[in-house]
Structures are given as structure tokens and as C-alpha cells.
Amino acid sequence: MYPLLSVRSWVFVIWLVLISFALYARPLLPVDETRYAAVAWEMWLRGDFLVPHLNGELYSHKPPLLFWLMQLTWLLFGVNDWSLRLVSPLFALGTVYLSAAMARMLWPERQSIADMAPIMLLGSGFWIVFSTLTMFDMMLAFFVALAIYSLLQLAHAGLTLPRWLLLGAAIGGGVMTKGPVILLHVLPAALLAPWWLKDTKPGAYWRHWYAGLAFSILLGAAIALCWAIPAGIAGGEVYRNAIFWGQTQGRIVESFAHKLPWWWYAQYLPALLLPWLLLKPFWLGLKTLNLQDAGLRFCAAWGLPLLIAFSLISGKRVHYLLPMYPLFVLVLARAAEEVNTRQSDWRRAHQGFIALLALVGIVIAAAPWVNALTLRNAELATLSPLWGVFLLAVTALLWRHEAQNAQEAVLTVGIATVIALLVVSSAFFSLRGERFDTQDTGAKIAEVFAQNKDVAYLVAVYHGEYQFSGRLTKPIKTLVGLRNLEKWRAEHPDGYVLMRYKNASDLPTPFPYYHHRHKGFNVALLPIDAFLNNPALHKILIY
């Protein structure tokens, strides 16, 4: 067990600190977070909870569950940008607790695995980053974990209707989160149950098993169809085709986005398992694992077909692996438990990793001083060295700690990882947070709309970055090419132009209109005549 607090309490305290700092340190991040907030905002404005829209256009890329939950927070707390950011982290917290429940089901005689798994999940760098972001994949991870937990309950506690209903509800929640991809996560383990379940079962048992599985899948489909059918009717043929077939087919067969080679995931997997692969006892434990262990057979049935399928699917992104990340942690926790009785392996196992974090603290603390000598980056002059000093103080305290067992080593490394990532991200956003904040530009656009004037954004694709941050009540027109802008001016002679350009120094002087640094470029908002009558602005324009 852990010192001072129970496992559940440690999980909640670490999660609360992590999320509190994330809410304080950074704004909604473009383009994903601001886009999803924009879709929820437009749904809220329209009062249309069937068909999502983005900037006035149908948005068929994702089902609406996340948008519904965002609006639920607004119903409870009023329209704001902090409560919607709690939705994904709450699902992350639920997944962490489910990982402990799965460990107890897989290895009931090995309590230390159930103790370590949730701390390891919460203390993994990959999980920390995405648990603070408002994205669909963390919600999907929760429903996958709930479905896997349901399968384990069915296998070890009996085939009862409430457990099949729970599995169906998890499948339905996953479909309403990100489409039928949840079946790809759940079906391999469910179909391979005769192989991983160590108890010998009669043929009648398996007939009931597969019949119950079919029932749960149909229940999940029925839950999703309760939205999809009326939404398809209301949205029209194009929207109907997109939600029933287009998105899934596009990603699996020939990706319209994120197309990458089959080996792409394999090259990143070791990095995703940090910091745990930096600790020697984990490698010692991994060498001893084999498929005679029924729990590991289940993990193999769950993970290996899934990794192969994900590698073959055309569209790839690293966060697509989030729903199966608890599986990796469970295997690592099982490996750690294998050498848990050898205290000497764990007493100082964390010190190498703590030393790396101390080096990061030194770099952050010294960065303003080094910059003062080199004068290379004006932003670094504003970086407070206290961020690095704080990280150094934390690492100094953790370095001196001697772990009594694997649980204590895991807790030490998990806490260190969370603190280090919070320090690094807080330092980064203290320098560049303004570049990611769309509220100021959104407010300027709202002022133009309040004057009953329209705005044209000279960009190929607009992701709705300013719709929610500016609380905009009508769409921004997107245009490419000066000829199209001339045509638009004929109907909107007093309209405004939102343009993008690379460097602030490229603007002609004087420039009396609004301009703002945004990520790796700049934006400016000015009257359409002022833009069209200034050829210098045409030359610096980027789409």
C-alpha cells in the first residue's frame, strides 16, 4: 500500500492538482479544443441537438455526445470556457479507476497490481498530456475500459443480464463518442474468450456467451440509432451518408487525413511508455512474463489484434492509442509486481529518472540567464527562473526518498512526472500562452458583428477558432483569392477582412488596425477597402 493515503485518494489528489493547473495555465487550444467548443456553442445557439454545425455548415466528423455534455455543464454553470474543459478529464479519471478494477479482475491474488496500475496510468506522460485536453479519444478510452471491465465481469462473475446491459451501454456510449471504432477495441477480446479464459467451459456456455455478445452489440447500435436516424433525416442525404458510412470508411480504407505507413505506431510506442521504461525493474519483470498467466493471455487477446488492425488502417494519430493505453499499463504493472519482493531493485530505481528531471529544472532556471548573454530570444527574458528552481527543489526531495517496494517507487515517479510536466507546460504558456488564446481576436470580430457588419476570413479552411471564444452569433465567410473577395465586397461594402501573415514586421507602417500573434503566424482584422487598396498586404497574405 501507499503511505499517508489510499490508492483512490492518491489518484484523486494527483488528478485534481493536474487539472487545476491545466485550467489555470492555458486557454482552450486551437484547433481541436476551440473547434469542439464552437460546435457545442452553435448547437446551443440553434437549440438543435440532433445535427451539429460548425460555422454554419453541417459538422459530420463526430457524433454529438461530447457536445451534449459540454452543454450540460453550461446548463449547470452558465456558458463559460472552464466547465466544458472538465468533461474529458472526468472521463480520464473514471478510466484510471477502471484500470484498478480491471487489474483486480485479472489478478485477484496480486493486490499490488491493482495498487500500481492507476498511479502508473495517471503518472504516464502520454496520459497526462491528453487527460487535460478536450478531445473525443479520452471519452472513448473510458467506454472501452468500461466494456472491457464488463467482459471480465461476465467471464469471472457470471453471464447475467445486467452485465450484458452494461456492456451494451458501454458500446453505445463509445459509438456516440467516436463511432463504431469501439467495436475494434472490444471485439477481439470478446471473440477470443475461449482462449484467454482459464476455466474450462461447456459448449452451452459459449453459445450463451456469443448470444449475449450479439445482444450487447445490438443494444449499443440501438442506442446510437436513437440519435442517428432522426439526425440523418434532419440533416439530409449528405449528412446521412457521412454519419453512417463516410467517416469510418474514409479512415479505414483510404484515409482522407492522417495517412501514414503501417509501422508508424511501432516507432512511437517506446516513447509513449515513458517514464516506466526508464526504470530497470520493469525490464527485469518484463523478461519473466509469459502467456501461462491467464491475465496476460487476456491482455494479448485484447491488444495484439488491435495493434495489428490499427497498423493496417490508413489514418493514424498517436492519440488513437489512448483507449488501449490502460492495457499497456496493466502489463507493465504486472511486470513490476513480478520483482516486487526484491526491495533492493526498487530502493533507488527512481533516481536516474529524477536526475533527468533535475536537469530539465536546471535548463529552465538557467534559460533567462543564458539568453541575457546571447540575446537570441526576447521571450526568454520574461521567463521566470522560479519554475526551474521549483522543479529542482521537488527533485531534490524525491531523490532522497528510498522506496520500500514497487508501489512506493511508482508513486514517486508518477508524482515527479506530473509535477515536471506541469512546470514545463506552465513555463511554456507563461511565455507563449497569448499566441494560443483566441479570445481577444474573437472579441474584435464580435464587435464588428455587433455593428451589423460581416467578416470574411481569407483562409482555405477555417476550424471555428473564434466562434466560441468571441461568442459569435453568425458565421464567418471563408474566401480564397482576391477575385472572390472583390465579389464579396459588392454585397458587403462595409465588411471586414481577417487575414493571416507570417511576421509582424511585414505589416506596412503605420498599421492602425487590429493585429495579433496567433500560434506560428499573425492575424489582422481591417475594413475590406483598407485591405484591397493596399497591395503591400496582398503580398504578405498567407492562406
Side-chain angles (χ1 to χ4, degrees):
M1 294 297 290
Y2 296 106
L4 301 179
L5 299 174
S6 66
V7 176
R8 290 185 178 184
S9 298
W10 272 116
V11 166
F12 183 75
V13 169
I14 296 172
W15 174 87
L16 186 62
V17 170
L18 176 63
I19 302 308
S20 297
F21 267 80
L23 290 175
Y24 170 78
R26 66 167 181 83
L28 281 168
L29 297 180
V31 294
D32 288 329
E33 288 192 310
T34 51
R35 175 173 55 215
Y36 303 146
V39 175
W41 169 244
E42 194 152 345
M43 185 178 280
W44 178 269
L45 284 178
R46 289 171 173 267
D48 180 359
F49 302 104
L50 278 178
V51 182
H53 289 75
L54 177 62
N55 196 40
E57 302 290 334
L58 292 172
Y59 184 78
S60 60
H61 293 272
K62 299 292 187 299
L65 182 57
L66 175 60
F67 311 132
W68 289 347
L69 293 175
M70 287 178 173
Q71 291 169 88
L72 177 61
T73 71
W74 293 340
L75 189 64
L76 295 173
F77 305 107
V79 176
N80 62 81
D81 63 355
W82 63 266
S83 64
L84 68 86
R85 294 172 60 189
L86 289 176
V87 174
S88 183
L90 284 170
F91 278 96
L93 179 63
T95 308
V96 171
Y97 283 126
L98 280 172
S99 70
M102 287 188 285
R104 284 191 292 270
M105 295 293 295
L106 289 170
W107 299 284
E109 73 286 357
R110 300 174 186 264
Q111 178 60 36
S112 61
I113 301 178
D115 291 340
M116 288 186 288
I119 301 295
M120 289 177 61
L121 183 57
L122 192 56
S124 299
F126 179 60
W127 190 266
I128 290 170
V129 171
F130 284 99
S131 65
T132 65
L133 296 175
T134 300
M135 299 180 70
F136 294 88
D137 300 272
M138 191 56 74
M139 291 176 58
L140 180 62
F142 171 81
F143 287 114
V144 169
L146 184 60
I148 294 297
Y149 172 75
S150 303
L151 285 176
L152 291 173
Q153 283 281 348
L154 286 160
H156 296 294
L159 308 183
T160 64
L161 179 60
R163 296 186 181 109
W164 289 119
L165 291 173
L166 181 61
L167 176 59
I171 292 173
V175 175
M176 289 298 293
T177 297
K178 208 177 177 183
V181 68
I182 188 172
L183 294 177
L184 191 60
H185 288 273
V186 175
L187 282 183
L191 294 175
L192 293 174
W195 177 68
W196 55 259
L197 191 58
K198 60 182 179 181
D199 298 329
T200 302
K201 302 291 185 181
Y205 176 90
W206 295 115
R207 287 194 294 272
H208 288 109
W209 174 271
Y210 290 115
L213 178 61
F215 166 77
S216 294
I217 293 172
L218 291 175
L219 176 60
I223 292 171
L225 289 174
C226 287
W227 161 75
I229 291 176
I233 295 172
E237 183 178 0
V238 173
Y239 182 74
R240 187 163 54 248
N241 290 337
I243 63 173
F244 279 104
W245 177 245
Q247 288 295 309
T248 301
Q249 184 271 342
R251 283 188 171 89
I252 293 178
V253 180
E254 188 68 22
S255 179
F256 50 79
H258 318 321
K259 182 180 179 181
L260 291 164
W262 65 268
W263 43 262
W264 190 82
Y265 285 124
Q267 66 180 342
Y268 288 107
L269 194 54
L272 298 184
L273 297 179
L274 297 178
W276 312 113
L277 291 187
L278 296 178
L279 275 67
K280 181 180 177 181
F282 283 98
W283 291 101
L284 297 176
L286 285 171
K287 291 192 299 184
T288 68
L289 302 184
N290 62 73
L291 294 181
Q292 297 300 315
D293 185 313
L296 290 174
R297 285 203 306 274
F298 175 83
C299 291
W302 177 9
L304 290 179
L306 190 55
L307 272 176
I308 293 171
F310 269 47
S311 298
L312 296 178
I313 289 173
S314 177
K316 296 179 178 67
R317 274 295 180 265
V318 66
H319 53 267
Y320 293 175
L321 296 181
L322 271 174
M324 65 182 306
Y325 198 76
L327 160 67
F328 301 142
V329 168
L330 287 170
V331 174
L332 288 173
R334 175 65 180 85
E337 195 276 340
E338 192 68 21
V339 293
N340 196 15
T341 57
R342 292 153 52 179
Q343 182 181 344
S344 59
D345 290 326
W346 291 104
R347 183 177 291 114
R348 301 186 182 277
H350 61 282
Q351 289 187 336
F353 176 66
I354 298 298
L356 288 177
L357 297 186
L359 181 61
V360 173
I362 293 172
V363 170
I364 295 174
W369 177 75
V370 173
N371 182 70
L373 296 177
T374 61
L375 300 177
R376 287 196 168 190
N377 191 322
E379 284 182 326
L380 282 179
T382 64
L383 176 65
S384 173
L386 293 179
W387 293 114
V389 172
F390 174 72
L391 183 56
L392 277 172
V394 171
T395 54
L397 289 173
L398 295 178
W399 171 274
R400 300 183 62 184
H401 175 68
E402 292 190 358
Q404 300 302 309
N405 49 43
Q407 292 99 309
E408 287 193 17
V410 162
L411 180 62
T412 302
V413 172
I415 290 175
T417 306
V418 170
I419 292 175
L421 286 178
L422 287 178
V423 167
V424 171
S425 61
S426 297
F428 174 83
F429 284 107
S430 71
L431 294 180
R432 299 195 172 188
E434 187 180 359
R435 298 186 183 188
F436 295 88
D437 194 344
T438 60
Q439 290 193 41
D440 192 50
T441 303
K444 293 296 182 182
I445 297 171
E447 290 178 9
V448 174
F449 283 162
Q451 301 170 23
N452 204 27
K453 299 176 182 179
D454 290 299
V455 175
Y457 193 4
L458 298 179
V459 68
V461 179
Y462 171 50
H463 297 282
E465 296 96 315
Y466 308 111
Q467 298 304 117
F468 175 68
S469 61
R471 306 297 192 268
L472 305 185
T473 56
K474 59 181 179 179
I476 296 174
K477 180 68 175 179
T478 56
L479 295 171
V480 174
L482 297 180
R483 186 172 299 176
N484 290 327
L485 185 61
E486 290 276 8
K487 294 178 182 178
W488 188 78
R489 180 174 64 169
E491 299 178 2
H492 307 274
D494 60 349
Y496 274 65
V497 169
L498 185 66
M499 61 170 289
R500 305 199 308 176
Y501 57 98
K502 184 65 177 176
N503 300 310
S505 59
D506 294 337
L507 283 177
T509 54
F511 188 79
Y513 308 108
Y514 172 81
H515 54 98
H516 181 74
R517 186 71 181 266
H518 179 73
K519 295 179 70 173
F521 54 90
N522 292 266
V523 295
L525 182 66
L526 67 159
I528 188 170
D529 285 337
F531 175 81
L532 289 174
N533 295 333
N534 194 332
L537 294 177
H538 307 169
K539 294 178 181 179
I540 65 173
L541 175 68
I542 58 174
Y543 289 104

